[in-house]
Amino acid sequence: MLTVDFTRFPLAAGDRVLDLGCGAGRHAFECYRRGAQVVALDQNGEEIREVAKWFAAMKEAGEAPEGATATAMEGDALNLPFPDDSFDVVIISEVMEHIPDDKGVLAEMVRVLKPGGRIAVTVPRYGPEKICWTLSDAYHEVEGGHIRIYKADQLLARMREAGLKPYGTHHAHALHSPYWWLKCAFGVDNDKALPVRAYHKLLVWDIMKKPLATRVAEQLLNPVVGKSFVAYATKPHLPKAEA
């Protein structure tokens, strides 16, 4: 289940990509399949080891084209172990809402992104996320949980302040918003509640089968209740005098 829309965020074979806070690796895997040279970085060592196993399995199965590379590594988003201007593309998906120093993370991403490079940032959308916070303290008051809710204009302003030039936005995963509202209403850790179990089955069916009816429904509902807000931006080239 991808949050970044690669029809709006073009990726060329050979692009050097950083998936920052990669988690289970969903975007890193897609970039690898598209022929990129991928670095998947996360502070969670257990998840990174799983991502590395999947990269190896994908290579063995021939899922990545010739020339594509993939590396999984532990790291700190506020102190990236890469030189300036290292990547053509940076993706940070559902991460910034967890980090107190979001300006510091943006500064590091801009530092390692090449001039002319592209960045995709996704965060929980304000409205659906606010409902979750209202329904359940346990949803966000956990170690490493969500510490802020972004409004769209606030995130875009942060990106501009960091030196990025936003060029497009959209919302994603409308069908997932009701699931999280149910989880928050019945207990975040209560997976046995009948409405939660029933809706989860619907989501699994949708992800596996991709029926036309739910694809159309989600497209129609995304502008209204899309769970994620997605912003795309470029890092401008320096003026010749500064360069």
Side-chain angles (χ1 to χ4, degrees):
M1 186 185 72
L2 299 174
T3 307
V4 172
D5 181 352
F6 287 95
T7 65
R8 310 183 197 212
F9 189 65
L11 188 69
D15 275 352
R16 187 161 165 78
V17 177
L18 172 63
D19 185 2
L20 181 56
C22 65
R26 57 201 172 105
H27 289 106
F29 300 149
E30 180 64 21
C31 293
Y32 189 32
R33 290 188 186 98
R34 289 171 179 262
Q37 298 174 10
V38 184
V39 176
L41 183 144
D42 201 285
Q43 67 176 2
N44 186 319
E46 185 176 341
E47 286 196 311
I48 282 297
R49 286 187 287 275
E50 283 299 311
V51 170
K53 290 178 184 178
W54 279 105
F55 279 152
M58 290 172 68
K59 182 178 180 179
E60 181 70 21
E63 290 188 35
E66 186 176 352
T69 62
T71 303
M73 60 185 296
E74 290 185 60
D76 180 359
L78 291 165
N79 186 24
L80 295 173
F82 311 111
D84 296 356
D85 306 337
S86 296
F87 294 94
D88 302 291
V89 172
V90 175
I91 297 171
I92 184 166
S93 183
E94 312 299 302
V95 174
M96 286 182 57
E97 67 276 9
H98 296 272
I99 301 176
D101 186 7
D102 59 343
K103 290 184 179 181
V105 172
L106 277 168
E108 272 293 86
M109 289 191 292
V110 171
R111 180 184 68 79
V112 302
L113 185 64
K114 295 177 182 178
R118 303 172 305 285
I119 187 168
V121 180
T122 93
V123 296
R125 184 184 187 174
Y126 183 84
E129 182 76 349
K130 188 68 174 177
I131 293 173
C132 288
W133 282 46
T134 300
L135 290 171
S136 171
D137 290 335
Y139 171 79
H140 63 97
E141 290 183 355
V142 295
E143 185 178 354
H146 298 185
I147 62 171
R148 71 173 66 82
I149 310 175
Y150 288 99
K151 292 185 177 179
D153 56 356
Q154 178 190 21
L155 178 62
L156 293 172
R158 286 268 202 279
M159 294 170 71
R160 292 188 183 99
E161 289 169 7
L164 295 167
K165 185 178 180 180
Y167 69 82
T169 64
H170 64 90
H171 299 97
H173 308 318
L175 295 182
H176 288 250
S177 290
Y179 173 71
W180 283 102
W181 297 339
L182 288 169
K183 288 270 287 181
C184 290
F186 286 93
V188 174
D189 297 320
N190 180 14
D191 293 326
K192 295 182 179 180
L194 180 59
V196 175
R197 286 192 289 116
Y199 202 96
H200 184 263
K201 287 182 179 180
L202 170 67
L203 291 179
V204 171
W205 173 74
D206 173 57
I207 291 169
M208 298 300 294
K209 300 296 184 180
K210 297 181 174 61
L212 179 61
T214 55
R215 295 300 88 217
V216 171
E218 185 154 77
Q219 289 179 10
L220 293 173
L221 290 170
N222 273 336
V224 184
V225 293
K227 183 74 169 65
S228 295
F229 173 70
V230 188
Y232 305 110
T234 58
K235 177 179 176 178
H237 290 276
L238 287 173
K240 289 184 178 179
E242 292 184 48

